[in-house]
Every structure is written in structure tokens, then in C-alpha cells.
Amino acid sequence: MADTIYTISAFIALAAVITAGVRLIAGPTVADRVIALDVLTIITVSLIVYIARMSGRIIYVDVAMVYALISFVGVVAFARFLERGL
Amino acid sequence: MKRLSNTLLLFAILLLVWLALTDFNLADRLLPGAVFSLVVAAIFAPGLDILSEIRPSWRGIGYGLVYPIVFLRELVLANLDVASRVVRPRIPISPGIVKVKTSLRSRLGRIILANSITLTPGTLTVETEGEFFYIHWIDVTSPDIEEASREIVRTFEKYLEVMFG
Amino acid sequence: MALAGSLLTLAGSLLLFLGALGVLRMPDVYNRMQAGTKATTLGTILFLTGIGIGRLPEPCIFRVLILILFIILTNPVSSHALARAAHRAGIRLTEGSVKDDLDTHA
């Protein structure tokens, strides 16, 4: 029962990836695309932890943590770039 | 004195994070973690005089314990608010950027206030300038600065005021 | 415990989806940011908590807690940086916005 619900949740998160992906492709301005990217990375972090649970490899949680760190730095760098160029 | 307490505070935070990352495996990991935390804290504490703005008082500690609860409540409300707006066929918004004034003086207090505002219903800090915050509000109900300040910042301000001043 | 965890994860994934939907449907950059920041923050918190308290081979609830704390701390910062950059880059608010104090100020 619980496993089924976990699987359904993963599929809903995948649907969220597709939804945000549409904005990533369509977004009229750069800022729109960066927001979509930010949302995508957060969903991806959740999905990585989900995979860690499913495959029983705790080490993947560390991967998710590093990914969250890097995406934060990336978004802030993008914001800086938007503001005045690199 | 100030510098010593900053170093100790940073050391404690770093060590706690390290222990959490290693599942509190005290036998193997405590000693190297403590050494590295001490080195990093000694190097970086002088640049972090922002930490000394924490007011160590019993009332401040009590408010510090209550604040996360208040914050989580606002966060849940924010999410229900956003969710209820997004699912409607025609999104009900009247957005705008309003200017609000905060009475907080410390930098740390203002940082936490700005971040808390961003995670509460319908508000997003766009720009700060001294004691004024420019806030994108998804549903502007009162364009007046006094009233907007009361509605947006008062919830958190009364806690942060005691903790940081 | 596993069932409670799975239900938390389900709620979290729904919020993540609503956040993504908000990013898709909202009319301008700032409103999209509102949806993208708030809904995904709580969504991730619930999703990760659900996995953390559910069945896992070893205890790693602390690592998940650190991850959650990190997301609470960084998510508003990145969206604030982005909003400020967007406003400075000259992206205006959508039609039908009430007012823009920052615009008249600058």
C-alpha cells in the first residue's frame, strides 16, 4: 500500500517536471527560464532522494545535497548575470 | 570577547551539521569533525560579526523557539493560498510592488524578516533599502505604506525584535 | 509509519506539481516566482520528510533534515536575487497590476 503511494507520488513529481519544462522552453524572458530551472532543480532534488530510498543507497542523499548547493549557486550567478553581466 | 563568542557559536553550528551528516557516529567522527570545525570557525568568525547581533536573553531564546512554529504556520497558509489560486480557471490576482517600513535595526533581523516575508502568503521581497522593503504582493489590498507594513511585517517583527533588536 | 510517510510524500508531490503549474500559468515573472518559491518549498519539505520517516535501510533522517533546512534557507534567497535582477533588467509587471512603488522610486 505504502509503496504504491510512493510510486504515485514519484509520477506526480514527474508530471511537475514536465509542466515546469514547458515554461523552461516557452518562457519569453531569461528570468522566466531561470525560475523554471530553479523549480526543476528542486523537484529533481526530491526525486534523487526518492531514488535513494528505492534503491537503498543512502549515498544518493549526499548527491541530492550537493545538487541543491550547486543549483543555489547557479541561480544566484544567473541573477547576477541578468543584473549587470558577468 | 565578542570575537570569541562568535567563534564558539560558529564552531557549534559547524560541528552540529557535521555530526548530522555522519548520523551522530560519535566514536569515529567526533574528533576530526571537531578539529576541522575549529579551524574553519577560527578562520571565518572575524568576518561574521553579524552573529554578535543575536541578543542572548531568556525571552529571546523563548521567542526563538516559538518563531519556527509561527513561521511554519505562515508557510502552510502560503502554500494553501498559492495552490487555491493556481487551480482556478481564471487566476484571481491584483499584483503590485508596495513599499513597507520595518522597525528592525539589526542586519541579521532584517535578513530573516526578508526571507520570512518571501515564504509567506502572496508576498515576495524584491528590493531592500535600509529600513524600507519593496515587496511584490500578489493581491494588493492596501496600497498605503503604513497599512501594508502592518499587514505584511508585523507578524514576524514582534518576535525578531526581541531576538535581534 | 510507512503509510504516514507515503501520505506525506503524496501531499508533497501534489504541492510540487501545483508549484510547477503556477510557474506555467501565472502571467508575469514576479507572480511565477511567487508560485515557484512557496509551493515548491513546502512541497519539498513534505516530500523529503515522508521519505525520511518511511522505510529506509539505515537511519538517514538527520541528513534529510539538513537538506530540508538548507532548502528553507536558500530558496527565498535565490528567488529574491532573481526578482531583484529581473526588476533591474527592466522586466515590468503584468498588465492590470495595481502599482509599482519601486518603479517610481528608480
Side-chain angles (χ1 to χ4, degrees), chain A residues 37-77:
Chain A
L37 197 67
D38 195 23
V39 172
L40 276 178
T41 51
I42 288 178
I43 301 170
T44 314
V45 165
S46 306
L47 282 175
I48 293 174
V49 177
Y50 172 81
I51 290 170
R53 178 193 174 275
M54 277 316 178
S55 64
R57 295 185 185 205
I58 296 299
I59 197 78
Y60 288 176
V61 178
D62 298 3
V63 175
M65 215 173 290
V66 173
Y67 190 56
L69 264 167
I70 290 177
S71 83
F72 168 63
V73 175
V75 170
V76 172

Side-chain angles (χ1 to χ4, degrees), chain C residues 56 70 83 88:
Chain C
L56 268 173
F70 182 75
R88 288 201 180 163

